[in-house]
Amino acid sequence: AVTGEVLLDQNSGQQRCVASLTKMMTCLLLAESGLDLDETFAVPEELSPEFARIRNENGAYIDLQPGEEVTLRDLAYCTMLPSTNDSASTIAWRVAGSLDAFVAQMNDRAAQLGCTDTRYSCPHGLYDHNNYSTARDMAKIALACHANGTYMQVANTVSYTLPATNLHQNERAITSTNLMLNPEYAYYRDYIRGMKTGFTTLAGRCFVTFASQNGRTYGLVILGSNSQNIFREAAELFDWAFSNPDLQPKAAAPETKKHSLFSFWQNLLG
């Protein structure tokens, strides 16, 4: 049963920029859209100014070009794994017909999920202005993502091969920014279940993920961290939770305040 027990809560109601955690909502709306993820379509010319702005603001991109023939499935992997912004904007256009219409859908869906302190202004989070949420609201969005099999299939992927297109003649390998999924990484944990990373200078380091082990599932949202290794912080929190199965009396949680974390720690499944 879902318990919803909060195990650790620090400033979970404080509004923060959420950077690329924004893409969680973008890919959730894609997964819920009912569109054929494998249908090929052409990237529209009208996205050229958006692509130029992404590059000017030093955002990650997969080098989509107007007229390039792509699929939504490939764009979802680009958006979730290397966290490219041009792919997120193209998803938005394909789902809603324009970026503004898609942003309206993002805000409507957030409200449906019970988010009261969330506002989206773009489909990727690169632009911090008027694009914010709280750890508490992000946990609600994360729960909806976690419940969506299509979303989680993408989010749990470590690496993916993009096929050649009419404008990119070679296959390209992409990898996830969630290093806790990578067995070669020092803080790899086999209990990690997907989700998303984010970073801008204003937002700080952000991370949402889930962990499942021995019949228990936990969710973690970290916003605004200045930690040099947010994955280490997450590993310490999850290791603490899994090593204290009863949490009665509650064991002392790893120290996080020294890194100014704003985190929301939730026991999802009992």
Side-chain angles (χ1 to χ4, degrees):
V2 176
T3 68
E5 179 189 1
V6 178
L7 302 182
L8 179 62
D9 185 332
Q10 292 177 189
N11 304 301
S12 65
Q14 181 173 337
Q15 290 181 343
R16 301 279 309 187
C17 295
V18 292
S20 284
L21 299 190
T22 301
K23 297 180 174 102
M24 291 167 57
M25 178 61 81
T26 296
C27 287
L28 177 63
L29 287 176
L30 171 60
E32 295 176 341
S33 70
L35 293 174
D36 183 351
L37 300 186
D38 297 308
E39 180 181 354
T40 301
F41 67 96
V43 176
E45 178 64 39
E46 68 189 77
L47 286 179
S48 292
E50 167 72 356
F51 293 168
R53 183 181 178 187
I54 288 168
R55 294 190 185 205
N56 288 340
E57 300 208 12
N58 296 315
Y61 61 91
I62 199 67
D63 196 29
L64 292 172
Q65 303 292 326
E68 186 167 3
E69 296 177 358
V70 295
T71 68
L72 286 169
R73 188 178 305 279
D74 290 338
L75 294 180
Y77 279 98
C78 290
T79 302
M80 289 297 297
L81 273 60
S83 198
T84 53
N85 298 293
D86 51 351
S87 57
S89 293
T90 305
I91 288 172
W93 174 86
R94 182 64 171 173
V95 171
S98 73
L99 299 185
D100 288 344
F102 188 79
V103 168
Q105 289 186 17
M106 296 172 75
N107 287 312
D108 287 347
R109 187 69 176 103
Q112 289 173 3
L113 292 172
C115 300
T116 57
D117 294 294
T118 296
R119 174 171 175 170
Y120 293 111
S121 62
C122 63
H124 42 64
L126 177 62
Y127 317 141
D128 290 308
H129 182 65
N130 283 333
N131 195 84
Y132 55 81
S133 186
T134 66
R136 184 179 295 117
D137 279 0
M138 286 306 306
K140 296 173 182 178
I141 295 165
L143 278 169
C145 293
H146 185 263
N148 188 291
T150 299
Y151 181 101
M152 290 303 292
Q153 181 179 17
V154 177
N156 275 323
T157 301
V158 178
S159 61
Y160 182 79
T161 300
L162 289 175
T165 71
N166 58 320
L167 296 181
H168 284 94
Q169 64 180 1
N170 297 319
E171 292 182 342
R172 289 174 289 172
I174 56 176
T175 57
S176 177
T177 57
N178 183 357
L179 298 181
M180 295 188 77
L181 292 171
N182 187 342
E184 298 180 359
Y185 181 63
Y187 293 102
Y188 164 76
R189 295 293 188 273
D190 61 4
Y191 52 59
I192 289 296
R193 301 292 181 266
M195 224 40 68
K196 193 71 189 73
T197 64
F199 175 79
T200 65
T201 301
L202 189 58
R205 300 189 186 282
C206 306
F207 188 37
V208 176
T209 194
F210 289 80
S212 294
Q213 184 172 265
N214 299 327
R216 290 180 294 142
T217 299
Y218 297 97
L220 174 64
V221 178
I222 302 176
L223 304 181
S225 173
N226 62 6
S227 168
Q228 292 304 304
N229 194 326
I230 200 168
F231 301 115
R232 183 189 66 222
E233 301 288 342
E236 289 174 352
L237 285 167
F238 282 129
D239 290 346
W240 163 74
F242 285 125
S243 65
N244 293 278
D246 297 326
L247 294 175
Q248 296 293 335
K250 290 192 175 181
E255 177 60 49
T256 58
K257 292 182 180 179
K258 63 184 178 182
H259 293 302
S260 303
L261 295 184
F262 301 96
S263 56
F264 181 80
W265 183 252
Q266 185 178 30
N267 183 1
L268 297 173
L269 303 175

